[in-house]
Amino acid sequence: MGIAALEDKIVQQSLIWVLNAIYEEEFLGFSYGFRPKRSQHDALDAIYIAITQKKVSWVLDADIKGFFDNLNHDWLMKFIGHKIKDKRIQRLIESALRAGIKEADGRKIRAEAGTPQGAVISPLLANIYLHYVLDLWGNAWRAKRARGEIYIVRYADDFVVGFQYQDDGKRFHQALEKRLKKFDLKLHEQKTRLLEFGRYAAPNRKQRGESKPEIFDFIGFTHIYVFLLYSYSVINLDPEILSKINITHLLILQNLIRRAAGYYFTFAENIRSFANPESFSYIVVCN
């Protein structure tokens, strides 16, 4: 954790105002983390729409191993150089990256890679890095090489990709590993997986005699696909709450949602608008 001095925080905040004015015009629509007027709820809404309304049958649950510790400074400065030509701004950004830390005994340790996670500018720099490494590349890949539909949702370094076809998911996964390696990043082997998930996953797996669809986590929420009264619904539940819920609770919850006439509930949150509750397809977000 790198905690910047007060003077550094003031300079970094000024840089954020300048960089946001430039990069908000460049960032793609499926990037949601640490951006003005965007939040975790927007990312969850995007996943909900992709899974319940689009042709998504497979989901790549991806995790970049140690992203904030391994971000390559040289590559980041090259990316920034595409839009920022002022050498003074470049030097300020580079000084924030390479500031390092000061130990209690007075020793200074210079940072060779990564961004200080305590610095206010770190999330924006991370977004810029992944904009070039992941977003632009992923957007081009699905336009030129995908056989079916593909939907990407990214929140900071956490992202999921929905696919219509399994072979697209496998090829994208392989290409993504090569792409990240080029920029000194890699996927976490244990936390990255391609799983069957979506409106058609449960009936397809049942027809093949297989178990129910797997679950995945995204920005602190566990996503599960369950069967309720002949319809499939996506429910996002906190793991602690998930362990306490049974089918009776879900049926009661469904009746509440039907009575809400156009709304769905979030636990400990305000009621949020939802279209067509009679379809029994809804999302419940528990904080």
Side-chain angles (χ1 to χ4, degrees):
M1 179 69 71
I3 306 300
L6 177 60
E7 294 84 353
D8 291 330
K9 289 181 180 180
I10 294 173
V11 173
Q12 289 181 21
Q13 185 59 57
S14 300
L15 284 172
I16 289 174
W17 292 331
V18 172
L19 295 177
N20 269 338
I22 297 171
Y23 284 101
E24 276 303 308
E25 300 295 323
E26 301 295 325
F27 289 154
L28 301 187
F30 56 74
S31 168
Y32 294 91
F34 304 105
R35 293 181 59 187
K37 299 180 180 180
R38 292 190 167 218
S39 69
Q40 298 95 324
H41 294 295
D42 296 319
L44 291 171
D45 288 344
I47 291 179
Y48 167 76
I49 291 173
I51 290 175
T52 62
Q53 300 180 23
K54 305 298 182 180
K55 297 178 181 179
V56 171
S57 296
W58 295 85
V59 169
L60 177 64
D61 178 19
D63 182 88
I64 300 178
K65 188 174 182 179
F67 169 70
F68 285 96
D69 296 327
N70 295 298
L71 183 150
N72 186 291
H73 293 173
D74 294 332
W75 274 116
L76 178 58
M77 294 310 301
K78 288 180 182 179
F79 297 150
I80 289 175
H82 292 320
K83 292 295 179 181
I84 308 295
K85 303 301 182 182
D86 191 320
K87 297 297 183 181
R88 295 169 299 177
I89 301 297
Q90 291 184 12
R91 283 196 297 270
L92 286 173
I93 295 172
E94 191 166 12
S95 66
L97 278 174
R98 303 184 187 278
I101 60 175
K102 186 175 182 180
E103 298 285 4
D105 59 5
R107 290 185 299 112
K108 293 182 179 180
I109 302 177
R110 188 177 177 82
E112 299 298 333
T115 62
Q117 294 192 40
V120 294
I121 200 173
S122 289
L124 177 55
L125 296 180
N127 267 340
I128 293 172
Y129 198 83
L130 287 178
H131 171 70
Y132 287 98
V133 173
L134 175 62
D135 297 356
L136 293 178
W137 171 84
N139 202 39
W141 195 96
R142 68 178 176 180
K144 298 178 180 179
R145 302 187 180 183
R147 184 165 67 93
E149 297 182 12
I150 295 180
Y151 300 91
I152 306 171
V153 180
R154 180 176 68 81
Y155 190 90
D157 63 324
D158 196 2
F159 65 98
V160 294
V161 187
F163 303 91
Q164 181 178 358
Y165 300 116
Q166 183 183 19
D167 65 306
D168 276 346
K170 290 181 177 179
R171 290 189 296 111
F172 184 90
H173 186 184
Q174 293 172 353
L176 177 61
E177 289 182 326
K178 294 179 181 178
R179 174 69 177 179
L180 293 179
K181 185 178 180 180
K182 179 180 178 180
F183 299 98
D184 294 340
L185 299 173
K186 63 179 180 179
L187 295 172
H188 197 295
E189 295 181 359
Q190 283 72 41
K191 295 182 180 180
T192 300
R193 60 209 172 102
L194 181 67
L195 60 147
E196 193 171 12
F197 197 94
R199 286 183 294 166
Y200 311 107
N204 288 344
R205 292 177 69 86
K206 185 177 181 180
Q207 189 175 18
R208 298 195 301 264
E210 299 175 355
S211 60
K212 61 183 181 181
E214 297 179 74
I215 66 177
F216 69 92
D217 295 327
F218 180 64
I219 56 176
F221 294 89
T222 297
H223 298 245
I224 56 176
Y225 221 82
V226 296
F227 181 77
L228 286 179
L229 298 185
Y230 310 104
S231 182
Y232 294 87
S233 306
V234 177
I235 300 181
N236 289 351
L237 295 172
D238 182 273
E240 185 175 343
I241 296 176
L242 179 62
S243 64
K244 302 176 183 178
I245 267 191
N246 56 39
I247 190 62
T248 302
H249 296 145
L250 292 174
L251 292 174
I252 293 173
L253 181 58
Q254 178 178 329
N255 289 330
L256 288 174
I257 291 170
R258 291 188 62 191
R259 290 184 197 173
Y263 295 90
Y264 73 91
F265 294 100
T266 62
F267 290 87
E269 288 281 345
N270 296 327
I271 296 174
R272 302 185 64 192
S273 176
F274 176 77
N276 194 15
E278 291 300 320
S279 68
F280 301 111
S281 184
Y282 54 86
I283 184 172
V284 180
V285 183
C286 304
N287 293 327

